[in-house]
Amino acid sequence: MRHTLAVTVENNPGVLTRVAGLFSRRGFNIDSLAVGRTENPRISRMTIIVEGDDQVVEQVAKQLHKLVDVIKISDITRSPYVDRELVLIKVNAEPASRAEIMQLVDIFRARIVDVGPKTLTVEVTGDEGKIDAFEQSLRPFGIKELVRTGKIAMLRGIKTSSKNNSHKEEDTN
């Protein structure tokens, strides 16, 4: 089973290396890893997708907790969440096929971000299924280059998986 871990960490140099090194030393494979600053510039958030049963993920979480820079780990796999990935795809686009590609771009609500004499570069965001479907629809034209960000995820509703939004709402009474 694939697990989605939301890990908040101190935004210090080398944190990513330490986290990735931990996974490597323990023999855990990372399917996807996306990291970036949060609303607090001193804190970063990693979304890590790891394959394994509950016991393996629990072991990963325990090891991560031992790292000084790790603030909080949440396995949000079984909670309702929204997730997105971004992909850039450079595809062969001869004049005869451009209209068909542009039609696919509209269907998937993607966007053309660069036009070359024989290529189009397209960006699309969405969940993994949408990204996979878009990629498959462009394969017959010939994909020249492709890059994906990896999944980012956030819990739905009022729940949060980060610890840094501890600023309390002002009491209006």
Side-chain angles (χ1 to χ4, degrees):
M1 177 180 182
R2 294 177 77 195
H3 289 262
T4 302
L5 302 177
V7 182
T8 50
V9 297
E10 299 286 338
N11 190 10
N12 294 329
V15 173
L16 179 59
T17 302
R18 286 188 282 281
V19 169
L22 182 145
F23 277 84
S24 174
R25 284 191 306 279
R26 302 293 176 183
F28 300 131
N29 187 36
I30 297 173
D31 281 350
S32 166
L33 187 146
V35 61
R37 265 191 266 161
T38 64
E39 67 279 3
N40 180 344
R42 293 177 294 155
I43 296 176
S44 291
R45 162 111 174 225
M46 296 179 177
T47 303
I48 303 172
I49 311 303
V50 61
E51 180 79 36
D53 58 25
D54 291 345
Q55 193 174 12
V56 167
V57 173
E58 185 180 328
Q59 192 177 12
V60 167
K62 284 180 181 175
Q63 296 296 319
L64 284 171
H65 274 297
K66 291 180 182 177
L67 297 177
V68 174
D69 300 308
V70 173
I71 299 168
K72 185 178 179 185
I73 303 162
S74 301
D75 183 354
I76 63 172
T77 307
R78 293 184 175 89
S79 302
Y81 65 88
V82 291
D83 66 320
R84 293 291 181 268
E85 285 187 48
L86 167 70
V87 64
L88 292 172
I89 302 175
K90 186 180 293 184
V91 62
N92 288 324
E94 297 295 330
S97 61
R98 283 185 186 242
E100 192 175 352
I101 293 169
M102 292 170 80
Q103 194 173 23
L104 288 169
V105 166
D106 283 344
I107 291 169
F108 283 91
R109 285 186 258 163
R111 201 165 67 121
I112 296 171
V113 293
D114 188 52
V115 177
K118 294 185 177 183
T119 61
L120 292 173
T121 303
V122 182
E123 74 173 14
V124 66
T125 58
D127 63 21
E128 186 177 7
K130 178 182 176 181
I131 302 296
D132 289 344
F134 187 62
E135 180 184 333
Q136 288 306 313
S137 70
L138 291 180
R139 284 226 175 266
F141 301 100
I143 294 175
K144 295 186 72 68
E145 190 173 8
L146 182 148
V147 61
R148 289 174 81 147
T149 60
K151 182 195 289 191
I152 58 170
M154 183 178 281
L155 290 171
R156 289 185 178 271
I158 196 163
K159 285 183 170 181
T160 65
S161 55
S162 52
K163 204 173 195 172
N164 63 333
N165 58 357
S166 59
H167 47 83
K168 296 180 180 176
E169 292 180 21
E170 289 184 27
D171 191 7
T172 56
N173 294 333

